[in-house]
Amino acid sequence: MDIPPKSFAKVAVENTAYHFDRLFDYLIPVEYEEFAVPGCRVMVPFGKGNRRRQGVIFELCGTADCAGVKPLSALLDETPVLSQEMLRMARWFRDNYYCTYYEAAKVMLPSGINVHVVTSYRAAEGLDSLTLTERSDITPQQRKILEMFIANKGLVLEKKHITEVMNLPVNSTIPDRLVEKGLLQRTDDAVRNIKDATVKMAALAPDWEKHTGPKLTPKQREIVNLLSDVQTASVKEICYFTGISQAVVDLLAKKGVVSYFEEEIYRNPYAGAGEGSGGRVTLSEQQQLAFENLYRLYSEDEFRVSLLFGVTGSGKTSVFLRLIDEVLDDGKGIIVMVPEIALTSQTLGKFHERYGSKVAVFHSGLSLAQRMDEWKRVRDGEAQIALGTRSAIFAPFDRIGLVIIDEEQEYTYKSENSPRFHARDAARFRCGYNRALLVLASATPSIETYYNATDGGRYDYQVLTHRYGNAILPDVEKIDISQMDIKDGIISPRLYQALRDNLESGRQSILLNNRRGFNTFVSCRACNEVITCPNCSVSMTYHSDNKRLMCHYCGYSMPVPHVCPSCGEPFLRFAGHGTQKAEEELARLFPEARILRMDADSMTRRSSYDKKLGDFAAGLYDIMIGTQMVAKGFDFERVTLVGVLLADQALYSDDFRSYERAFSLLTQVVGRSGRGKSRGRAIIQTITPENPVIDMAASQDYRKFYRNEIILRKAMLYPPFADLCMVGFVGSRDEEVSRAAGNFLERLKYYTQRDYSDVPIRVLGPSPASVKKVSGRYRYKIILKCRNNARFREMMHLLLCESGSDPQSKEVTTFADLNPENVL
């Protein structure tokens, strides 16, 4: 038999183990040949049982790797949902981030567009009561299920309904055993998570005059006249403009005068944004120079990376807007990323005011349906700017001209789930593919980025040394609270007086306390034991809102015990100051103040960020207290005081990035003060005022901090002088996870001494993670200082595949994370 060219598809299949993952060959049925192209999703039979799984076509070919190739079961898309660029990036993700092909492809699509497989059962042909009496291989439970289908002819039930009705475990195999015995039939159907939003439209039928009968009523004639003028209209619009009920339109449709059809609409959460006001951005001399240099790089039509380094309040956003204006005129796509949902609303306000409906928004605060439709607006060319958090990097533009990553140092740009990619690296890939400009912006860039822009010479470099307009950097004061009794409060007399002065002058204040909850731990005075989570090796945090102890890792909560769980004594001590306790203290000290708390507990609803921040900007609150989400990116003119309740919380940990994170956090929060006409001030409370990082953050001296930090990085061989690869091991049994880590180390020694002796590497561990147990699962790690080249990746791929197929470690999950944000 002659097989036409390219009649096979290489498909990435979901839920394949890493050590087993590859592109699997499938035959393309004749009916799908026209539409089955790379980038389309399909359903395929997989494994011995031919269970239907979802997949993505990566490429077409003329021959298959083996005989007896199975055909595609179904084609889920008429047009590709992934472009050639995205498919190429998915391959790059798999090679660099040690994930499967399907995981790499799936992360690029909005959650709402994904499908899930619904398994259903029906009675096999000929199944009746007589069959049951003749079969001796049926258990009582199986008989009950079959009797239900016999009693209800034509019944089709999903598996979850069968297990519910029969009180069976969710993962029960009884229905499938009945399929194997030929008594039930099973179907696996693909159902999309979110359906397209449509509106019922109406138009005159092509031959409508043949169906009018002897006469149209006045109301019917009015509808016909409207449709003759406008061609098409929604039923809702027809009723609105004519004042006639839908029943009249339905009658015309029944007669064949009007034809109905569905038209897709977008669930745009910002549909009222309009077209934007435009207008020229006024730049200072420094800003203009930075813009001209960036525009020159963009105009070269080559892949370039530039760091826009500017002190807080220097007007980096204005430079962005001026650059975006030029790229828009060229008709190219633009991606602007911010690290937090909280920052999206303020940035979005500026962008909507200027660009209107050209802006599409990407972040997890939107519903699944809204996220899917914003993705479609970009794909269909209705939006030219994608603004959002990490997922915005996958906006489906055909041609990208510019990618901007604001606050590029933030850890939220790194994914903690497979594929464990960094948005900065993904942006480099997309800009390289499109010969576009990547702009990394920050007042406190990551050490690696600043090195590449200065000592390393890999990036271009623009700098803004002054605040925009007449604004100047705030005065900063350190307060030593090491001798202060903080049992009843953490606000020092000096900070209290500054808050009082600000309140009386009608100005606003921001306080940073990077701990959620009320008390950060509860311990026993008798035995000194701290109450910990039963599922995680961390202390429980007391929350005053619900009067419960809560685990911030797994979400477990419990009422506060009356006695110590360890020794039974009633001497419990509540200690530590979270945001809830700070809020209570502020309310006690300033009963007249309007206080806003911003943390993960108070921002539970999608609309919380936008509403609360809008209220604060409008002056409806006097003091905002919160975790690190209040520290970055905000621009409130009335804020003239910033207070850091305890700077030391961020400074001391075993992670080599702890000083970098602390410097960035302190510098950023201090920079929220004095951004308007009035000069600002900041008060930093600390128990170690001699720490130089606090001094450098207070003076906003990033260059001095970098010079000190880069010396340590080089001496200790940390990035940017080496790459880090963390190999993690997770499982439910401590000894098994520990053994898997040890076995991996032995394999690593074997390969580096033989086949990969040319791969430079230094090994730290194995050792338990800083939080050893999370959600009942134990965690170990090995840290590799390495050079992330092709040889290293080849060795890691081999090691991960061997670990995944090791029968001694069946219950242990092994993964690799390149340059993780947290190595603990």
Side-chain angles (χ1 to χ4, degrees):
M1 169 175 139
D2 292 331
I3 296 178
K6 302 214 169 173
S7 57
F8 296 96
K10 289 190 174 293
V11 178
V13 181
E14 67 177 335
N15 298 330
T16 56
Y18 180 78
H19 67 274
F20 186 67
D21 183 58
R22 60 184 174 85
L23 295 178
F24 296 90
D25 289 343
Y26 284 91
L27 178 68
I28 302 174
V30 175
E31 62 267 29
Y32 298 147
E33 282 181 357
E34 183 180 352
F35 301 105
V37 295
C40 285
R41 294 169 303 162
V42 292
M43 296 299 296
V44 297
F46 193 80
K48 293 180 180 178
N50 286 329
R51 295 286 180 86
R52 296 226 297 175
R53 293 193 189 180
Q54 191 179 170
V56 177
I57 299 176
F58 267 64
E59 61 183 89
L60 304 180
C61 56
T63 59
D65 289 341
C66 59
V69 176
K70 302 171 186 176
L72 301 176
S73 299
L75 185 64
L76 301 180
D77 304 301
E78 292 184 359
T79 57
V81 292
L82 291 175
S83 65
Q84 284 295 333
E85 176 191 354
M86 301 309 250
L87 290 174
R88 186 178 294 187
M89 185 159 69
R91 292 177 182 271
W92 184 77
F93 267 31
R94 183 181 184 272
D95 292 341
N96 283 270
Y97 300 119
Y98 310 105
C99 62
T100 67
Y101 282 108
Y102 187 82
E103 286 172 335
K106 184 179 179 182
V107 77
M108 299 175 186
L109 295 172
S111 301
I113 207 172
N114 290 321
V115 303
H116 63 278
V117 176
V118 174
T119 301
S120 302
Y121 300 85
R122 70 181 70 216
E125 192 173 339
L127 178 68
D128 53 26
S129 300
L130 182 61
T131 306
L132 294 187
T133 59
E134 292 175 348
R135 299 289 294 253
S136 59
D137 59 340
I138 302 174
T139 67
Q141 267 187 327
Q142 293 173 345
R143 187 177 299 276
K144 283 184 179 180
I145 293 174
L146 294 173
E147 287 173 347
M148 177 175 60
F149 280 98
I150 293 170
N152 300 273
K153 288 188 178 180
L155 179 66
V156 178
L157 281 181
E158 293 181 25
K159 183 174 182 178
K160 63 179 182 180
H161 294 145
I162 296 176
T163 56
E164 286 173 6
V165 170
M166 294 297 165
N167 199 25
L168 299 171
V170 176
N171 59 350
S172 172
T173 60
I174 291 178
D176 290 317
R177 288 181 197 164
L178 292 172
V179 173
E180 293 169 3
K181 292 176 180 181
L183 300 171
L184 290 183
Q185 291 180 345
R186 168 182 168 140
T187 57
D188 297 307
D189 297 311
V191 178
R192 204 164 85 184
N193 292 342
I194 302 293
K195 294 183 179 180
D196 294 330
T198 59
V199 62
K200 183 183 279 190
M201 302 292 291
L204 291 175
D207 53 351
W208 66 272
E209 290 170 324
K210 295 179 182 178
H211 305 285
T212 57
K215 188 179 178 182
L216 288 174
T217 67
K219 289 184 178 180
Q220 291 172 341
R221 172 59 62 186
E222 191 172 350
I223 292 171
V224 169
N225 289 341
L226 175 66
L227 290 176
S228 296
D229 291 338
V230 300
Q231 308 303 318
T232 64
S234 71
V235 174
K236 187 176 180 181
E237 288 172 327
I238 292 172
C239 297
Y240 177 78
F241 286 110
T242 64
I244 298 169
S245 70
Q246 184 176 336
V248 181
V249 191
D250 289 341
L251 184 60
L252 285 173
K254 191 174 181 180
K255 287 182 176 182
V257 176
V258 167
S259 60
Y260 282 151
F261 62 96
E262 298 289 324
E263 184 174 278
E264 184 178 357
I265 58 172
Y266 296 124
R267 289 156 287 207
N268 184 352
Y270 307 100
E275 293 307 312
S277 58
R280 194 168 185 83
V281 179
T282 303
L283 301 179
S284 68
E285 186 176 335
Q286 267 197 342
Q287 289 173 320
Q288 181 66 26
L289 180 60
F291 158 70
E292 290 173 357
N293 288 336
L294 290 171
Y295 183 64
R296 173 181 51 80
L297 294 174
Y298 162 75
S299 301
E300 290 174 1
D301 198 29
E302 294 290 341
F303 168 48
R304 300 297 297 268
V305 183
S306 181
L307 169 64
L308 179 58
F309 171 61
V311 297
T312 55
S314 56
K316 295 182 286 294
T317 302
S318 296
V319 178
F320 297 163
L321 296 177
R322 185 71 183 86
L323 188 60
I324 287 169
D325 290 344
E326 300 297 329
V327 181
L328 280 176
D329 289 342
D330 290 343
K332 295 181 181 179
I334 298 153
I335 297 174
V336 181
M337 285 189 281
V338 294
E340 304 264 7
I341 297 174
L343 298 185
T344 311
S345 60
Q346 260 209 345
T347 307
L348 185 58
K350 295 176 183 177
F351 274 69
H352 270 158
E353 182 181 344
R354 186 168 183 77
Y355 304 113
S357 60
K358 293 178 184 176
V359 181
V361 184
F362 291 74
H363 65 70
S364 59
L366 305 180
S367 69
L368 292 180
Q370 289 169 338
R371 279 183 260 177
M372 181 176 72
D373 286 359
E374 289 292 86
W375 181 87
K376 285 181 182 176
R377 287 208 308 123
V378 172
R379 181 197 62 185
D380 298 341
E382 293 200 10
Q384 206 175 334
I385 302 171
L387 170 65
T389 49
R390 187 174 61 227
S391 60
I393 194 56
F394 302 120
F397 289 113
D398 288 333
R399 243 171 101 228
I400 292 176
L402 174 66
V403 176
I404 297 168
I405 304 183
D406 198 15
E407 307 294 356
E408 67 84 29
Q409 79 285 354
E410 287 299 321
Y411 72 92
T412 51
Y413 286 125
K414 181 77 160 66
S415 171
E416 295 181 350
N417 300 312
S418 186
R420 295 173 172 83
F421 70 97
H422 198 294
R424 186 172 53 223
D425 298 328
R428 283 177 53 86
F429 181 95
R430 295 206 71 181
C431 288
Y433 187 93
N434 289 276
R435 299 160 66 110
L437 172 64
L438 171 59
V439 178
L440 307 173
S442 180
T444 56
S446 65
I447 295 296
E448 295 93 321
T449 294
Y450 195 79
Y451 175 84
N452 285 328
T454 53
D455 300 337
R458 295 177 59 197
Y459 298 166
D460 201 78
Y461 180 53
Q462 316 299 326
V463 63
L464 302 173
T465 57
H466 306 297
R467 282 195 159 186
Y468 182 73
N470 297 320
I472 57 177
L473 290 171
D475 296 322
V476 183
E477 183 180 355
K478 287 189 302 181
I479 303 295
D480 184 355
I481 61 170
S482 58
Q483 305 302 316
M484 191 174 91
D485 184 3
I486 61 174
K487 181 172 60 175
D488 297 320
I490 199 172
I491 295 175
S492 65
R494 183 71 189 91
L495 180 56
Y496 167 82
Q497 190 56 52
L499 288 166
R500 170 61 64 195
D501 293 343
N502 237 34
L503 273 173
E504 291 174 355
S505 62
R507 293 170 181 164
Q508 293 174 301
S509 307
I510 293 178
L511 298 180
L512 170 68
N513 184 29
N514 209 18
R515 290 288 187 273
R516 289 164 52 199
F518 193 85
N519 296 111
T520 53
F521 67 93
V522 179
S523 62
C524 176
R525 297 178 190 273
C527 67
N528 292 323
E529 284 291 314
V530 175
I531 298 179
T532 58
C533 173
N535 307 314
C536 310
S537 50
V538 292
S539 60
M540 302 280 281
T541 300
Y542 175 65
H543 284 244
S544 60
D545 286 351
N546 58 5
K547 304 293 190 293
R548 296 178 70 86
L549 295 176
M550 297 188 69
C551 174
H552 289 171
Y553 279 78
C554 72
Y556 174 84
S557 74
M558 59 182 282
V560 180
H562 298 293
V563 297
C564 173
S566 297
C567 69
E569 294 293 335
F571 305 121
L572 295 180
R573 178 173 66 97
F574 292 74
H577 289 73
T579 49
Q580 290 179 6
K581 188 169 186 179
E583 180 186 26
E584 182 185 83
E585 184 177 349
L586 287 169
R588 175 173 53 82
L589 294 174
F590 308 104
E592 76 281 16
R594 298 164 297 173
I595 301 165
L596 170 63
R597 193 179 91 235
M598 292 278 289
D599 56 27
D601 302 308
S602 62
M603 300 288 109
T604 54
R605 299 178 61 183
R606 289 192 178 103
S607 59
S608 298
Y609 292 101
D610 293 351
K611 185 178 185 311
K612 296 289 180 67
L613 291 173
D615 289 346
F616 187 79
L620 301 183
Y621 292 98
D622 303 305
I623 302 172
M624 179 160 63
I625 169 75
T627 54
Q628 60 184 0
M629 67 172 64
V630 307
K632 312 154 201 161
F634 296 132
D635 191 355
F636 299 116
E637 285 195 7
R638 294 186 182 92
V639 173
T640 56
L641 172 65
V642 162
V644 179
L645 298 190
L646 187 59
D648 312 84
Q649 289 174 333
L651 280 169
Y652 303 107
S653 79
D654 294 332
D655 194 311
F656 75 96
R657 287 194 179 93
S658 61
Y659 271 13
E660 180 182 3
R661 290 195 186 112
F663 176 85
S664 176
L665 183 63
L666 294 175
T667 301
Q668 293 284 348
V669 74
V670 165
R672 297 314 104 203
S673 180
R675 299 170 76 93
K677 296 177 182 177
S678 302
R679 181 157 192 172
R681 54 180 171 164
I683 294 176
I684 299 176
Q685 297 185 162
T686 174
I687 58 175
T688 56
E690 69 282 358
N691 191 303
V693 174
I694 297 176
D695 279 332
M696 289 182 280
S699 60
Q700 305 254 309
D701 194 345
Y702 178 85
R703 289 184 177 88
K704 183 177 180 181
F705 171 76
Y706 168 80
R707 287 194 296 271
N708 290 345
E709 188 73 6
I710 202 70
I711 293 171
L712 292 173
R713 294 281 184 97
K714 189 171 185 177
M716 301 298 292
L717 198 62
Y718 279 116
F721 301 102
D723 290 297
L724 295 183
C725 183
M726 182 182 75
V727 185
F729 308 87
V730 182
S732 56
R733 296 175 57 198
D734 188 1
E735 64 279 5
E736 193 171 334
V737 181
S738 176
R739 184 172 63 246
N743 290 343
F744 186 96
L745 181 62
E746 291 305 314
R747 290 192 188 94
L748 178 63
K749 288 178 181 177
Y750 174 81
Y751 282 118
T752 52
Q753 290 170 2
R754 295 182 44 134
D755 303 335
Y756 294 91
S757 58
D758 58 318
V759 175
I761 194 169
R762 292 187 185 180
V763 182
L764 305 175
S767 62
S770 60
V771 179
K772 184 178 180 181
K773 186 171 73 166
V774 173
S775 298
R777 294 173 66 78
Y778 294 90
R779 310 187 305 168
Y780 283 75
K781 67 182 188 300
I782 295 175
I783 304 295
L784 308 178
K785 293 182 180 180
C786 59
R787 202 173 286 148
N788 181 34
N789 54 25
R791 285 286 287 165
F792 174 79
R793 293 193 294 271
E794 179 185 295
M795 181 184 73
M796 280 301 302
H797 176 73
L798 180 63
L799 285 164
L800 289 170
C801 286
E802 287 192 4
S803 292
S805 57
D806 185 354
Q808 293 186 342
S809 305
K810 280 187 195 177
E811 305 302 318
V812 177
T813 300
T814 305
F815 65 90
D817 190 356
L818 182 66
N819 290 319
E821 284 296 312
N822 188 344
V823 297
L824 298 180

